[in-house]
Amino acid sequence: MNGREQERRRRRGEPSGGAPSRRTDRVRRAAADPAPSVEPDADTEADVPAARPTRGRGRTVRRSVPSRVLGRLTTRRAALLAVVVCALALSVAVPLHTYLSQRDDLAQQSQQQQALRDQENQLAQRAAQLSDPAQVEAEARTRLHFVMPGETPYEVQLPGAVPSGAQTGAGQHPGSASSWYEKLWNSIVGSH
């Protein structure tokens, strides 16, 4: 043996005596074998019971994890994943439901607030109109049929036309619908 060959053998891990080491033998077998054997990792050997060698096509193939153990691990992982997903769904569902219901309530309250603002504006305009003495006088003349001192009131009734305050029902007295306080009450109720 020359120096070069000894150096090659030393790099390959073969002893210098010419007999191949176990590592070199294993590498040669793996290169010659079309279906290489799977050797267990250090991590899986500690977690999983010892693997049984199986025979296939006349060769011994060593599997690191039996399929039944792998199936159990996969089932456990799937069950754990399902529990985690359910927990996440439940933890998100309650706050999401609360958020959506509060958003709907907020929109409804905003609409109601806007309607109240509109009503407030209308009432403020009406109050401004009634602060004018001429408007108050006009309202008293039309609604209450008031007249100024010295004026003579006239009411024109067309034949066949029923006066607005004189509509009587079956159980009412003919004169009761035309009393001034009922006209006042009807004008107040009718304006709102």
Side-chain angles (χ1 to χ4, degrees), residues 49 52 65-73:
R52 284 190 265 160
V65 179
S67 62
R68 69 173 193 267
V69 174
L70 181 62
R72 268 192 243 139
L73 290 176

Side-chain angles (χ1 to χ4, degrees), residues 20-192:
S21 69
R22 276 193 248 161
R23 180 172 179 254
T24 308
D25 189 34
R26 191 172 54 219
V27 169
R28 283 186 192 155
R29 274 189 278 143
D33 191 12
S37 63
V38 178
E39 295 191 17
D41 294 338
D43 295 340
T44 56
E45 281 183 351
D47 296 340
V48 179
R52 284 190 265 160
T54 59
R55 297 201 176 259
R57 293 193 219 165
R59 292 185 197 90
T60 302
V61 178
R62 187 163 196 197
R63 294 185 182 169
S64 63
V65 179
S67 62
R68 69 173 193 267
V69 174
L70 181 62
R72 268 192 243 139
L73 290 176
T74 305
T75 305
R76 287 180 186 161
R77 286 180 184 160
L80 181 64
L81 180 65
V83 168
V84 168
V85 167
C86 289
L88 286 175
L90 289 175
S91 66
V92 169
V94 173
L96 182 64
H97 179 266
T98 304
Y99 168 74
L100 293 176
S101 65
Q102 286 179 352
R103 187 179 68 174
D104 292 341
D105 289 345
L106 182 64
Q108 184 181 11
Q109 292 296 325
S110 297
Q111 290 175 350
Q112 187 177 12
Q113 188 177 18
Q114 185 61 36
L116 289 173
R117 282 188 187 139
D118 293 342
Q119 186 179 7
E120 180 185 13
N121 290 338
Q122 290 173 354
L123 291 174
Q125 289 174 354
R126 182 71 176 148
Q129 287 175 353
L130 292 177
S131 66
D132 183 22
Q135 182 67 29
V136 173
E137 182 181 339
E139 288 289 325
R141 286 179 181 271
T142 56
R143 286 184 169 187
L144 304 175
H145 302 289
F146 280 7
V147 291
M148 294 299 283
E151 292 180 347
T152 306
Y154 291 102
E155 190 172 324
V156 178
Q157 293 183 355
L158 299 173
V162 178
S164 62
Q167 296 177 354
T168 59
Q172 293 180 346
H173 299 291
S176 65
S178 62
S179 63
W180 67 271
Y181 54 85
E182 286 186 9
K183 289 181 182 179
L184 175 63
W185 179 252
N186 290 335
S187 66
I188 291 172
V189 173
S191 66
H192 293 284

